[in-house]
Amino acid sequence: MRNYLTRQAMKALKASVVMLTFFGLAGTAMADKKITFKTPSAFGTNLPITGSTSVYFADVLERVSGGNMKIKMFEPGELMPAFDIHQAVSDGQVQAGYTCGAYLGGSLKEAIPYCTMPFGPEPHVMLGWLYEGNGTKLWEKFYNDAGYNVKVWPLAIYANEGAGWFTKRIEKVEDWKGTKIRIGGFAGGTVTKLGAVPTLIPFGEIFPGLEKGVIDAAEMGLPANDLEAGLHKVAKFYHMPSWHQPYTIIEIVMNMDVWNGMSDAQQAQWEASVRQANVWSMTHSNAIQNAALKTLQEEKGVEIVKFDDEMLKAMRAAFNETMDELMATDPEVKMLMDDLTAFMEDYKAWENIGSIGRNSLWD
């Protein structure tokens, strides 16, 4: 699996393991039983960040545990469809799974923001809510209330993606009418109000969907993901900015019985490795995107199309309407949004006073 990691990633991995070992998390590894976590992934491990964070995490965990804990990753569809991973982990068919909450959005809408949502917080603020606010407590409550026998963590968390690949330009609100787009979650409800026809399909079906004309557009991932997936071969208009996905979380879920059967040391090793994967995914994702974007533009002939202020205002209004309707009928979504909004407002109050503004050194 380590072949998917860059040289810089391997350096970071070695440094992380040294640090975690220094603090004693690997000290009791010899006394613990060996566990191999059979782990299906909803995302190809070849995809930068979205997929490769699981590889990075697996290597950290194996080294920190002295080889007593190993992740055996399975590529999308190898064991089961991507949308079935949560249930398979809950049922004990597999020990763990690498997936995202948006794939439960059809039946569990409160899971959607644990993957992403339009006009949401930046990644570091979202991570703060998960670890320092009520984010993870609510996440576990929602899954438990829905009958999922799992424990959940954010594994990959990274910054804004592209707004999507289109076979035509979307420059006016009217251009959305009839556009068949691969997009899900609350963003799907938003573009519906603009006249689009959203559908949520797994990553592996995006390329053939665009190629065969089943869909006219698709949001997928970061520029580095999209370059690796070859989406420039089937769509030439890459739209920005990322109104729909200012942060992304890819989660790892574990069967609760498996978690409860682990020693205290193993649980600590697991959670420390998760935190390290959080840091790596945030830093590495930001570091590699501009190079990928330049390749797409200069070598692959991709045209960047930026939504103007009028379009973004229309999207925001449609999103607000979508959420007002949903929160009026779904108390769980309202509970989540009220709590997250309060956390964001508290953070923003400090940022407005203490920050000199994003990128001000380069303005």
Side-chain angles (χ1 to χ4, degrees):
M1 289 193 298
R2 291 174 191 149
N3 292 338
Y4 293 127
L5 299 179
T6 64
R7 183 176 300 175
Q8 291 87 347
M10 286 304 299
K11 287 181 180 178
L13 171 60
K14 290 175 182 177
S16 302
V17 172
V18 169
M19 178 183 69
L20 295 175
T21 303
F22 176 78
F23 284 106
L25 292 178
T28 60
M30 295 302 293
D32 288 322
K33 62 183 179 182
K34 294 182 181 294
I35 306 174
T36 298
F37 298 89
K38 194 175 182 180
T39 307
S41 176
F43 311 96
T45 55
N46 64 308
L47 291 174
I49 310 301
T50 304
S52 64
T53 300
S54 65
V55 178
Y56 179 87
F57 169 72
D59 279 336
V60 171
L61 182 66
E62 182 175 349
R63 295 186 185 199
V64 168
S65 68
N68 282 346
M69 288 193 288
K70 297 181 180 181
I71 303 281
K72 182 172 176 55
M73 296 297 301
F74 292 86
E75 297 295 330
E78 193 173 353
L79 289 183
M80 64 197 64
F83 290 2
D84 293 348
I85 291 175
H86 286 90
Q87 192 63 57
V89 175
S90 178
D91 292 344
Q93 297 176 40
V94 290
Q95 289 85 1
Y98 184 63
T99 183
C100 74
Y103 287 174
L104 293 174
S107 59
L108 196 66
K109 291 195 171 11
E110 55 268 35
I112 293 172
Y114 289 103
C115 180
T116 193
M117 70 173 177
F119 303 103
E122 293 180 274
H124 66 284
V125 181
M126 188 66 180
L127 202 58
W129 179 64
L130 290 173
Y131 284 135
E132 307 299 333
N134 295 319
T136 296
K137 293 176 185 176
L138 289 172
W139 201 357
E140 292 179 340
K141 167 185 162 49
F142 296 146
Y143 278 7
N144 183 67
D145 289 351
Y148 290 103
N149 182 42
V150 299
K151 190 165 177 63
V152 61
W153 299 264
L155 196 65
I157 181 164
Y158 50 88
N160 46 285
E161 301 185 342
W165 292 83
F166 292 74
T167 55
K168 62 179 181 179
R169 286 170 161 271
I170 302 293
E171 296 179 305
K172 305 183 297 296
V173 173
E174 296 77 26
D175 295 338
W176 282 104
K177 188 173 182 179
T179 299
K180 295 173 291 184
I181 179 171
R182 185 271 183 191
I183 196 168
F186 301 151
T190 300
V191 297
T192 297
K193 292 185 178 297
L194 301 177
V197 182
T199 183
L200 183 61
I201 57 177
F203 267 35
E205 297 178 22
I206 293 175
F207 187 100
L210 285 167
E211 185 178 38
K212 297 174 183 177
V214 176
I215 51 176
D216 306 308
E219 68 80 30
M220 179 173 166
L222 300 157
N225 296 143
D226 297 347
L227 175 61
E228 177 69 25
L231 296 188
H232 56 276
K233 299 175 183 177
V234 287
K236 286 298 181 184
F237 300 107
Y238 197 17
H239 286 55
M240 301 285 177
S242 182
W243 65 276
H244 71 299
Q245 204 152 335
Y247 69 90
T248 301
I249 296 169
I250 311 297
E251 68 193 55
I252 191 159
V253 289
M254 185 191 297
N255 179 275
M256 186 64 79
D257 297 330
V258 174
W259 173 253
N260 290 335
M262 292 164 59
S263 70
D264 289 346
Q266 287 176 321
Q267 290 181 352
Q269 290 159 2
W270 177 279
E271 294 202 316
S273 300
V274 166
R275 295 283 188 122
Q276 181 56 37
N278 295 161
V279 173
W280 181 77
S281 59
M282 287 183 69
T283 56
H284 190 58
S285 63
N286 284 324
I288 65 174
Q289 298 317 313
N290 194 54
L293 194 60
K294 286 180 67 176
T295 298
L296 287 167
Q297 290 180 277
E298 297 174 8
E299 299 178 22
K300 307 300 182 183
V302 170
E303 182 178 343
I304 304 299
V305 179
K306 290 203 71 173
F307 293 127
D308 62 19
D309 289 345
E310 182 179 349
M311 178 71 79
L312 292 172
K313 287 178 182 177
M315 290 172 170
R316 184 58 189 257
F319 169 68
N320 289 346
E321 186 179 343
T322 298
M323 296 309 296
D324 287 344
E325 292 171 357
L326 183 57
M327 288 190 290
T329 59
D330 192 322
E332 301 294 313
V333 171
K334 186 177 188 307
M335 179 193 305
L336 182 151
M337 292 300 297
D338 286 348
D339 195 90
L340 176 57
T341 299
F343 187 90
M344 289 173 63
E345 289 177 348
D346 188 65
Y347 174 80
K348 189 174 182 179
W350 154 243
E351 184 181 49
N352 288 342
I353 294 173
S355 174
I356 59 174
R358 168 178 276 211
N359 290 340
S360 59
L361 291 176
W362 294 273
D363 288 345

